[in-house]
Every structure is written in C-alpha cells, then in structure tokens.
Amino acid sequence: SQQGEEDPQALSIQEGENATMNCSYKTSINNLQWYRQNSGRGLVHLILIRSNEREKHSGRLRVTLDTSKKSSSLLITASRAADTASYFCATVSNNDYKLSFGAGTTVTVRA
Amino acid sequence: EAQVTQNPRYLITVTGKKLTVTCSQNMNHEYMSWYRQDPGLGLRQIYYSMNVEVTDKGDVPEGYKVSRKEKRNFPLILESPSPNQTSLYFCASSFGGSTEAFFGQGTRLTVV
C-alpha cells in the first residue's frame, strides 16, 4: 500500500538554487529512504535514514526525519542540470518490513 | 559490476498471450521484488521473495505469477495479459526487505 506522499508534485528551479521536497507518511516506520529516477529509468538509492535518526547528509543531499510529525524532507543544495529527475520517498514500516513508495516529486533544474 | 538485469526492456503484446519478464541479480541478495509504476501512483509492489522458494503477494498481485527457483532469478509471469497491465515494470533486489534496494532498468509493457 502507498504510504509516503511527496510534496510538491513538481518543482522547477534555477541551476545553483536549492531544492526542497517533503514526504509525509501514516504509520510508524523502521526507516525511510529516498530514491532518484531519471526519466523512465530504474530507481537509484540516495539515502536511508533510520527512525532513531533526525538528520543525515550525503554530498549535496540533506535528509531530515521528524517521527512525531511523520514527515521527512530532502534538500538538494546548489542544484545542477543533472539533478533533473523524479525523487521518491519510500518507507519501511515496523509491521511488514517492505518498501512503500510515494508518487514522487518531479524536479526540473533550468540552466 | 553489481546489477539487476531485466529483459526485455520493451514489449508489445496482445491480450491473452502469456509472457515472462526475466530478472537476474548478481549481488547474492536474498530479497527480490517486482513493482509496477503508473503515472501519479508511484511504485506498487506486485510480488516479493524473501529467499529461494519463498514468495508472497505484494499490494497488486492479481494477474501475475512469480517463481524463485534460484537465488539470482525472479521471473514475472503474466499468464493472460490484459490492457490494464500496460505499465512500466521494475525488478529490485536487496539483502532484506528494509535495506537499500537495487533496481533494474525497467520493462515497458504494452498490452493491446
């Protein structure tokens, strides 16, 4: 079942700007993961944050997790044209340990 | 190179003609799964397998079958495809259901 919901659905920014997208979910989680998908291609794992972590960094990516609000955010700093893609959050619940994906945020970075 | 390989990448078929989409991984992962991706719906899990000979239904299993006879392979079978199964399909593998998943490049299926 779909658990994560990303917001906004689409985002258009200028190269060099930061991009922020949010994910909300419904049930308690074991961890939350972010994936990137370039047009029509397979998903690529970006970062995993566990339920007992609040913030995680990987290069230009910063992920936060607020379990009290059941939400997460992904920040891409100093965006590049190559960051143009769809970004998905995926939650792993404590009930079934399966990945449940949201519908994604489409990010367009303008040169 | 660590990878998940799906075949074919593109397939157009007619209603009712049985087809199989193959998936193979070379990372010795126990967990494999199939997803379908439709516009506005994200990825929905069809079936998953926790190990050889262990498979279970995901969220949208109707009209699909799978098998896991070897650890590396997890084919998706459509016994009698229908137009509502037109979609983009992804195979994924991981060490466990809760860990980082590696995805294949996708199979775009059109059923006419």
Side-chain angles (χ1 to χ4, degrees), chain B residues 21-40:
Chain B
V21 184
T22 63
C23 174
S24 180
Q25 51 95 4
N26 63 359
M27 294 167 279
N28 203 34
H29 286 161
E30 284 84 19
Y31 191 97
M32 297 185 74
S33 55
W34 276 101
Y35 296 86
R36 61 177 289 173
Q37 183 177 25
D38 301 289

Side-chain angles (χ1 to χ4, degrees), chain A residues 1-2 30-31 33 35 37 40-45 48 50 88 92 96-104, chain B residues 9 31 35 37 40-45 48 57-59 88 90 97-101 103-106 108:
Chain A
S1 59
Q2 199 169 329
N30 175 277
N31 68 68
Q33 302 175 31
Y35 288 79
Q37 182 183 34
R41 298 177 68 86
L43 280 72
V44 174
H45 182 265
L48 181 155
R50 302 187 194 287
F88 295 87
V92 178
D96 55 20
Y97 294 96
K98 295 189 298 181
L99 279 176
S100 294
F101 286 85
Chain B
R9 293 288 312 279
Y31 191 97
Y35 296 86
Q37 183 177 25
L41 296 178
L43 278 80
R44 294 178 292 167
Q45 191 181 60
Y48 66 96
K57 297 177 181 177
D59 300 313
L88 180 57
F90 289 101
S98 63
T99 58
E100 171 189 358
F103 282 78
Q105 287 301 295
R108 189 168 291 280

Side-chain angles (χ1 to χ4, degrees), chain A:
Chain A
S1 59
Q2 199 169 329
Q3 168 153 231
E5 286 188 19
E6 289 93 340
D7 172 63
Q9 287 186 324
L11 183 58
S12 179
I13 55 173
Q14 201 74 30
E15 205 166 23
E17 293 180 338
N18 295 343
T20 300
M21 60 210 86
N22 304 296
C23 171
S24 59
Y25 57 91
K26 297 184 177 71
T27 63
S28 66
I29 60 170
N30 175 277
N31 68 68
L32 185 145
Q33 302 175 31
W34 285 92
Y35 288 79
R36 183 186 74 230
Q37 182 183 34
N38 292 94
S39 181
R41 298 177 68 86
L43 280 72
V44 174
H45 182 265
L46 295 176
I47 201 162
L48 181 155
I49 187 165
R50 302 187 194 287
S51 60
N52 62 353
E53 296 175 311
R54 292 296 165 258
E55 188 170 312
K56 214 162 180 182
H57 297 255
S58 177
R60 293 183 296 111
L61 306 180
R62 174 179 166 249
V63 168
T64 63
L65 179 64
D66 186 335
T67 53
S68 67
K69 295 181 179 176
K70 291 188 168 59
S71 68
S72 173
S73 68
L74 170 66
L75 168 68
I76 306 172
T77 60
S79 62
R80 306 166 181 169
D83 295 327
T84 293
S86 292
Y87 293 82
F88 295 87
C89 74
T91 56
V92 178
S93 78
N94 284 319
N95 297 329
D96 55 20
Y97 294 96
K98 295 189 298 181
L99 279 176
S100 294
F101 286 85
T105 294
T106 300
V107 175
T108 303
V109 180
R110 306 185 306 273

